[in-house]
Amino acid sequence: MKYKLVEIFESLQGEGRNTGRPCVFVRFAGCNLACPWCDTDVGERFSMTLEELLNEIATYKAKTVVLTGGEPTLLDGAPELVAALKKLGYYIAVETNATVDADWLQFVDYVACSPKAEFPEKIALKKANEVRVVASNDSVIEFCKKVKDLIEADDYYVSPCDHDGEIDFATAKSVLNQLEGWSLSVQLHKILGFR
Ligand code: SF4
């Protein structure tokens, strides 16, 4: 079995509770949603066996691995990968769109989810460490309330929408002012210009 991949790179986590943490980002190919504004390339560029993937991750300094996508909960071979990374002492974080409540998520260290307001009926995840919702407009308020009922999390974040490089902080602030228990998460990598 080979893992279908888009890219592997080392950087700092740019958003949420782990902002600033050095991480190896492993972006897997494929997604089960088609968000109209998606700017993530989810097409397969290369594939690796488990051993090849672990060897590649070991070439980086960071000891946190972020499994992202696309949608990593769709991944064949996820339990084997998580078990192997755990054995090697990595801190494992997952970034998911909240549409799959995969059993193996209970074995990772951190689950960050970004449910999409365009697909409220697709939310299946019940528990995460953090939830992030993009404040595309004021109507996202009702979605945030629904998300909070559906997904138990330690932190709930609203992220400003990025309109072709223009960060819409005003809408995020307006949304936050109408919610309880939510706070702001900026995409620091976009503001500071790192990857
Ligand atoms: S869930 Fe993420 S990767 Fe998938 S289509 Fe939406 S924005 Fe793109």
Side-chain angles (χ1 to χ4, degrees), residues 31 33-35 37-38 42 70 97 116:
C31 188
L33 294 183
C35 303
W37 37 264
C38 179
V42 298
N97 62 19
K116 312 302 178 198

Side-chain angles (χ1 to χ4, degrees), residues 177-189:
N177 284 340
Q178 296 172 74
L179 288 170
E180 273 184 36
W182 292 70
S183 51
L184 183 72
S185 170
V186 293
Q187 293 185 304
L188 199 64
H189 48 292

Side-chain angles (χ1 to χ4, degrees), residues 21-89:
R21 181 189 273 254
C23 302
V24 182
F25 290 84
V26 182
R27 188 180 306 288
F28 294 97
C31 188
N32 56 347
L33 294 183
C35 303
W37 37 264
C38 179
D39 60 358
T40 307
D41 182 359
V42 298
E44 179 183 346
R45 288 193 199 155
F46 60 101
S47 62
M48 284 180 161
T49 63
L50 177 59
E51 192 182 355
E52 288 166 343
L53 181 52
L54 295 174
N55 287 341
E56 176 64 21
I57 291 169
T59 64
Y60 300 97
K61 283 204 179 112
K63 290 295 166 212
T64 294
V65 175
V66 180
L67 308 179
T68 188
E71 181 43 48
T73 59
L74 304 174
L75 192 63
D76 283 337
E80 294 83 347
L81 174 60
V82 167
L85 288 170
K86 273 270 145 209
K87 206 169 166 187
L88 292 165

Side-chain angles (χ1 to χ4, degrees), residues 76-195:
D76 283 337
E80 294 83 347
L81 174 60
V82 167
L85 288 170
K86 273 270 145 209
K87 206 169 166 187
L88 292 165
Y90 286 100
Y91 181 95
I92 307 167
V94 172
E95 296 187 335
T96 169
N97 62 19
T99 58
V100 182
D101 198 11
D103 281 350
W104 57 268
L105 288 176
Q106 64 187 296
F107 302 115
V108 307
D109 298 289
Y110 201 85
V111 177
C113 72
S114 311
K116 312 302 178 198
E118 291 81 359
F119 304 100
E121 73 290 352
K122 301 260 189 192
I123 296 174
L125 194 67
K126 295 175 191 68
K127 205 168 178 204
N129 294 89
E130 73 179 47
V131 173
R132 297 195 300 260
V133 172
V134 175
S136 40
N137 53 58
D138 269 6
S139 67
V140 90
I141 292 162
E142 287 311 311
F143 178 69
C144 287
K145 290 178 183 168
K146 181 176 178 172
V147 164
K148 206 169 178 190
D149 285 342
L150 291 173
I151 307 175
E152 182 191 337
D154 302 322
D155 293 296
Y156 295 88
Y157 293 110
V158 165
S159 302
C161 199
D162 178 351
H163 302 284
D164 297 325
E166 287 287 314
I167 294 172
D168 181 7
F169 173 62
T171 303
K173 187 165 180 281
S174 167
V175 167
L176 280 167
N177 284 340
Q178 296 172 74
L179 288 170
E180 273 184 36
W182 292 70
S183 51
L184 183 72
S185 170
V186 293
Q187 293 185 304
L188 199 64
H189 48 292
K190 291 190 177 172
I191 294 169
L192 295 182
F194 65 86
R195 194 170 182 207

